[in-house]
């Protein structure tokens, strides 16, 4: 200690009474000399080393003095390696603590002294000088301070070279350390889990690289720590011991080899009697299995067993996690599918809902397997509405996401039928849901008319018989609700009587009767609101109807939870809205070439088809024959529009025996039938085989008239009567109305029968009858006719008027 201090050549003494500037100048000279020296064979600078390690330099108030002293000491450690400049453990600890403190200057990359801090870091990292600290008592305290400062110094501004040197310094220490203290381990591991993981991104990346490069060195201390926490249940002073699950997940992601000895021990935790503990372990394993492939078959099977846990929360958690595992681990999908199918019939409603949501989310970007699709299909008929709702919404979302090919590809083309089958459930909520999903997903009402027509046609083609019947019922119910709403709005005095009818179409949870009463009062006092309702009911297109709905709801108020009138009005308008077929979509339907769909829509929504442009689109169908001609005739008859341009084609079809052509003429142009009688009469001689079809068309059309207007069939009499000749003589009997003439067709306007209590409606008819020659020829033609289904109905109508035809039809 009393040896004289030897200074490098041309360097002056470092006295404590020097000014700061002079001291800095002399330290720079010494540091510049040592920086250029490789190594010394003899330690002639031990006294200088001790002098620089004195409290005067280590605690000097000048930052530059401290930094230059640290660089000189680091150079002396380098020059004299592998031996230290001195062997005093206490002094060594002070020096290494001094080094660790000075490295905190790396936090300021923009400072003028950063180059010196970087030089110190490089010197210590390359020479691995801190390994000497492992041999002194309490050296781990210094290592903990070093790790703390290096991790806190990591930032985006810190040069990449400095980060790599920090990693090199820390990994070198971990490689040589035999026993890491919990403090050092916590400093490193705490930066890879929240909250520090999210708060210090660069420190997280630095810690990850250190752990990955030191995985072999960390395996034993990490394993011992986790074993004591997970298996033995010890709770050390470490904060990581309170909740080790986040650490387990991060370590499995960063360095799976660290957890290889630990993960099998989690299997026992899955069988714990503590529900909270089982839930936490299930959450941890779900995260681990979702991260990357894991070769832990027994642990995976134990995790699958928790899908059948007695705790509802555990089952929900497992089902919820199945979605992320499904996406990350394709090779585990078979096991997950089996468990999800089993949980689809779970006694708890919440678990079944979670199953549906998980399956739907898992299948959004891929074709569903047969088992999972069957699962969703079965849940559409679940006993709980919430499960049915989630299943239907998921299926319809898949249908819409699959694009235009959905209605033609398996299994998506089954979805429309599954949706409409739910309409048979006697529940207002289900009916409203089906109607909403049809207009949002299946046939999006906001699409262009051509797209909606194509979507509607594709949906119709994919429906089975029961679904088509439900589709008809849906449109019919909407039409009926609109009519009830129209009459309720138009007649304030009768609102009380119709209020109950409207309330049946609304969910009971909305308290429909009080709110309908309130809405009725608003309609009485607010003429603008009443006018908006009328515009809504008469709107020709979906866009105009939606605009009316928006204005009505704005007048009702804000959509707050306490505004019950708003939610009731919204559901009432949604249920009354016709979003599938409007005038634009009806005009585009003929281009979709689906003759079976048009007549049904025309019957249920006749207002949408009453436009002359549609007649132009249907004219080519009249010449196509078969189903197309029949569809066009039925639409023309239902729409009851002027059809002068179509009249020649309709008459031609009537001459060929088309019953719908006869019905169309009888409805829209009854006088034209008289002009066809000579042609029909002439066919008795030229084309006797055609008379069967003509007679069947006549009887069938008359039958239709009877159902619509309660008229009866003409009897055999004289030939065609003129308009001036008047009706034929009344018959002695009429099965439907005793006062109704038989054998003649009235040319008077439509009226009611004068017979008291009869109520038969008489349609306007042009007076004409068929000759007996025609019926005799028709009877011969009908004798081999295979029309057995309609024979009895026709026979019941002509039993008194055309005996020959009756006999022929009965013998068919």
């Amino acid at each position: 200690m009393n040896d004289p201090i030897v200074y490098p050549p041309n360097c002056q003494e470092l006295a404590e009474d020097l000014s700061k500037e002079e001291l800095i100048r002399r330290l720079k000279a010494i540091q510049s000399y040592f920086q250029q020296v490789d190594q010394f064979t003899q330690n002639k600078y031990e006294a200088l080393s001790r002098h620089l390690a004195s409290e005067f330099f280590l605690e000097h108030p000048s930052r530059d003095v401290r930094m230059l002293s640290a660089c000189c000491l680091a150079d002396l450690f380098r020059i004299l390696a592998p031996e230290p400049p001195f062997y005093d453990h206490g002094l060594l600890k002070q020096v290494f603590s001094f080094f660790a403190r000075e490295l905190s200057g790396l936090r300021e990359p923009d400072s003028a002294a950063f180059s010196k801090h970087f030089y110190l870091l490089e010197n210590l990292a390359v020479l691995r000088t801190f390994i000497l600290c492992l041999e002194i008592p309490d050296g781990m305290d210094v290592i903990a301070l070093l790790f703390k400062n290096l991790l806190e110094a990591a930032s985006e501004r810190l040069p990449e070279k400095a980060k790599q040197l920090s990693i090199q310094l820390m990994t070198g220490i971990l490689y040589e350390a035999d026993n890491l203290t919990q403090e050092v381990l916590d400093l490193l591991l705490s930066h890879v889990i929240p909250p520090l993981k999210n708060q210090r991104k660069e420190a997280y990346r630095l810690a990850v690289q250190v752990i990955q490069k030191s995985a072999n060195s960390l395996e034993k201390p990490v394993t011992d720590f986790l074993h004591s926490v997970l298996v033995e249940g010890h709770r050390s002073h470490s904060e990581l011991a309170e909740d080790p699950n986040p650490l387990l997940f991060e370590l499995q992601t960063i360095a799976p080899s660290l957890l290889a000895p630990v993960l099998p021990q989690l299997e026992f935790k899955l069988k714990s009697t503590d529900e909270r503990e089982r839930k936490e372990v299930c959450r941890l394993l779900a995260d681990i299995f979702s991260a990357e492939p894991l070769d832990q078959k027994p642990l995976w099977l134990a995790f699958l067993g928790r899908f059948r846990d007695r705790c509802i929360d555990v089952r929900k958690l497992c089902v919820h996690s199945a979605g992320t595992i499904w996406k990350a681990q394709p090779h585990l999908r078979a096991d997950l599918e089996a468990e999800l199918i089993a949980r689809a019939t779970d006694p708890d409603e919440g678990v079944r809902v979670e199953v549906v949501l998980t399956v739907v989310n898992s299948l959004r970007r891929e074709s569903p397997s047969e088992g999972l699709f069957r699962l969703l299909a079965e849940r559409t008929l679940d006993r709980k509405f919430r499960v049915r709702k989630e299943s239907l919404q998921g299926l319809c979302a898949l249908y819409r996401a699959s694009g235009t090919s959905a209605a033609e590809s398996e299994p998506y083309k089954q979805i429309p039928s599954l949706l409409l089958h739910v309409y048979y459930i006697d529940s207002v909520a289900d009916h409203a849901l089906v109607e909403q999903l049809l207009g949002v997903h299946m046939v999006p009402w906001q699409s262009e008319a051509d797209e909606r027509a194509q979507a509607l046609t594709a949906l119709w083609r994919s429906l089975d018989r029961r679904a088509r019947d439900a589709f008809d019922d849906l449109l019919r119910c909407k039409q009926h609700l609109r009519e009830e709403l129209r009459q309720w709005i138009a007649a304030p005095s009768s609102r009380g009587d119709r209020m109950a009818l409207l309330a049946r179409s609304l969910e009971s949870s909305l308290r429909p009767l009080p709110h309908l009463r309130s809405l009725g009062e608003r309609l009485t006092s607010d003429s603008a609101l009443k006018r908006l309702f009328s515009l809504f009911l008469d709107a020709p297109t979906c866009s105009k109807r939606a605009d009316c709905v928006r204005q009505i709801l704005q007048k009702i108020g804000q959509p707050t939870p306490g505004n019950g009138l708003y939610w009731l009005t919204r559901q009432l308008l949604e249920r009354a809205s016709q979003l599938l077929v409007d005038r634009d979509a009806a005009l585009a339907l003929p281009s979709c070439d689906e003759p079976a769909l048009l007549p049904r829509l025309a019957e249920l929504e006749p207002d949408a088809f009453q436009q002359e442009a549609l007649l132009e689109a249907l004219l080519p169908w009249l010449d196509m024959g078969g189903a197309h001609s029949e569809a066009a005739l039925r639409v023309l008859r239902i729409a009851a529009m002027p059809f002068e341009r179509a009249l020649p084609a309709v008459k031609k079809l009537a001459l060929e025996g088309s019953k719908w052509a006869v019905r169309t003429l009888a409805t829209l142009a009854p006088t034209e039938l008289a002009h066809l009688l000579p042609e029909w009469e002439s066919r008795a001689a030229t084309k006797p085989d055609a008379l069967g079809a003509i007679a069947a068309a006549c009887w069938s059309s008359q039958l239709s008239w009877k159902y619509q207007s309660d008229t009866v069939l003409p009897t055999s009499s004289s030939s065609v009567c003129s308009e001036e000749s008047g009706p034929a003589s009344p018959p002695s009997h009429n099965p439907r109305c005793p006062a109704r003439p038989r054998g003649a067709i009235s040319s008077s306007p439509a009226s009611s029968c004068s017979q008291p209590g009869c109520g038969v409606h008489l349609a306007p008819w042009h007076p004409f009858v068929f000759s007996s020659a025609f019926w005799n020829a028709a009877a011969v033609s009908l004798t081999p006719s295979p029309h057995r289904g309609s024979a009895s109905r026709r026979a019941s109508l002509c039993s008194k008027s055309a005996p020959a035809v009756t006999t022929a039809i009965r013998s068919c």
Side-chain angles (χ1 to χ4, degrees), residues 609-612 614-615 618 635-643 668:
F609 289 80
Q610 292 175 353
Q611 45 185 326
E612 295 185 8
L614 182 62
L615 172 62
L618 292 177
V635 172
L636 291 175
R637 177 173 174 267
I638 295 168
M641 66 183 76
F643 73 129
L668 303 180

Side-chain angles (χ1 to χ4, degrees), residues 14 134 264 273 396 416 438 444 462 497 502 514 572 579 584 615 661 723 778 808:
L14 299 176
L134 300 175
T273 57
C396 292
L438 274 176
S462 65
D497 300 333
L502 292 176
L572 178 63
L579 299 179
D584 294 341
L615 172 62
E723 293 188 14

Side-chain angles (χ1 to χ4, degrees), residues 408 448-461 584-598 601 614 617-618 621 624 628:
E408 301 176 358
E448 296 295 331
D450 293 342
E451 297 178 2
R452 278 189 288 126
Q454 293 175 3
L456 182 59
T457 303
L459 178 140
W460 170 262
R461 290 170 177 167
D584 294 341
L587 191 59
L589 279 172
S591 62
C592 298
D593 195 24
E594 182 54 53
L597 176 60
L598 255 66
L601 293 178
L614 182 62
L618 292 177
W621 284 31
M624 296 173 66
H628 289 80

